[in-house]
Amino acid sequence: MDMDHEAENRKIVRNRALISVLLIYISIYVLQFVVYFLILFLASGFLALSGKSSADVAGKIQDTEYRRFLMECYSLVLSFVFILWCGWLYKKSDWRFRPDYHKVFGKKHLFQIFSVGFCGCFFVIFIMTVLQNIFPAFFQGYIDRMAEFNTGTVRVYLYSLLFGPVAEEFVFRGAIFDRLYLVFPFWLANLIQAVLFAVYHGDVIQGTYAFLFGLLLGMVHYTGKSIWNNILTHILFNTTNY
């Protein structure tokens, strides 16, 4: 009877953790929606206050260069919101021990960061290059989207090389993986967060390398015992990719 009761309690705890993770995952899409329309509202209001007519405001909002500027601002603002929201969720987890940062940033972990961030990037690029040569037409849309996004502005670099990686690590390895790892074996918790990380990236190609990279980042978090190992690895990965 005691074993049955323990198994039932374990099931309840797992269900609660899954619900918590699901709510966090849904919240990042809700926040995307809210921040997107907030940026559009503020931009429209600013243009209207500057003396432009409604038609001029609508035309400016539809202008390709201006929309690209707004999307870059949107990405930065959204990353700040994610850092604040999921950083708080990560910090409030009362089960986590406080790591020894001399060990966290010791030679072993720094070598791990370099191996996954730098060498892992080349491994993922190799895999994607092989697939691109096999399915060139399938990759063309992805190449066009990346060329449109990589405008070379300071805002793009700040998001891609700093604030984006920090935000994604607090969301997926901080808030989500932390809760899964409490109630599931490492391999299953790591698999779930990597799948969610892949789906978040929105298309098959980005999702494929995000899944592979997400698995590696889960291992970094598991062995490094600190979100900062993940953040540094993610930054190095993106920087190497550029």
Side-chain angles (χ1 to χ4, degrees):
M1 292 296 293
D2 288 340
M3 292 182 64
D4 292 340
H5 184 66
E6 182 179 343
E8 183 64 26
N9 286 339
R10 191 158 48 238
K11 181 179 179 181
I12 292 172
V13 171
R14 285 183 174 180
N15 289 339
R16 287 177 177 175
L18 285 173
I19 292 172
S20 175
V21 165
L22 180 62
L23 290 175
I24 292 170
Y25 194 66
I26 292 173
S27 76
I28 68 177
Y29 289 99
V30 173
L31 288 171
Q32 283 181 330
F33 179 83
V34 171
V35 171
Y36 177 76
F37 281 98
L38 178 63
I39 292 292
L40 284 182
F41 175 78
L42 291 175
S44 300
F46 176 79
L47 292 172
L49 289 174
S50 66
K52 292 184 179 296
S53 65
S54 298
D56 289 337
V57 170
K60 184 68 173 177
I61 292 295
Q62 294 302 319
D63 178 72
T64 301
E65 289 299 321
Y66 192 69
R67 285 190 67 84
R68 183 177 291 125
F69 164 75
L70 291 181
M71 290 307 296
E72 291 171 1
C73 293
Y74 158 79
S75 297
L76 282 173
V77 172
L78 186 65
S79 66
F80 277 112
V81 172
F82 282 174
I83 290 169
L84 291 174
W85 166 232
C86 290
W88 176 75
L89 289 175
Y90 177 76
K91 183 176 176 58
K92 75 188 273 300
S93 298
D94 55 7
W95 64 269
R96 187 186 303 101
F97 69 93
R98 295 295 177 259
D100 180 355
Y101 285 100
H102 291 290
K103 293 182 179 179
V104 168
F105 297 110
K107 293 180 181 179
K108 175 184 175 181
H109 289 159
L110 290 177
F111 177 75
Q112 182 185 66
I113 288 169
F114 177 82
S115 299
V116 177
F118 185 75
C119 302
C121 181
F122 280 105
F123 171 74
V124 171
I125 289 173
F126 171 75
I127 296 296
M128 301 307 291
T129 302
V130 171
L131 293 176
Q132 183 179 343
N133 281 282
I134 298 173
F135 310 105
F138 186 68
F139 274 74
Q140 191 56 51
Y142 166 74
I143 294 170
D144 293 340
R145 286 193 301 274
M146 289 299 99
E148 183 178 349
F149 177 76
N150 293 330
T151 57
T153 66
V154 173
R155 291 179 298 275
V156 169
Y157 288 128
L158 282 175
Y159 173 75
S160 301
L161 305 182
L162 182 59
F163 295 111
V166 175
E168 289 180 354
E169 289 313 306
F170 273 123
V171 172
F172 291 96
R173 263 61 64 180
I176 288 177
F177 178 74
D178 256 13
R179 282 156 179 78
L180 293 171
Y181 178 57
L182 276 176
V183 294
F184 291 105
F186 163 73
W187 70 268
L188 182 56
N190 196 33
L191 180 64
I192 294 172
Q193 67 83 19
V195 169
L196 294 178
F197 187 51
V199 173
Y200 172 74
H201 280 75
D203 65 60
V204 175
I205 296 171
Q206 279 189 293
T208 299
Y209 71 70
F211 174 74
L212 296 173
F213 188 41
L215 290 175
L216 291 174
L217 286 167
M219 295 174 64
V220 170
H221 192 49
Y222 176 71
T223 58
K225 309 299 183 185
S226 172
I227 197 69
W228 299 109
N229 287 131
N230 289 77
I231 289 171
L232 291 176
T233 302
H234 202 147
I235 289 173
L236 181 59
F237 182 95
N238 284 17
T239 304
T240 305
N241 197 23
Y242 265 88

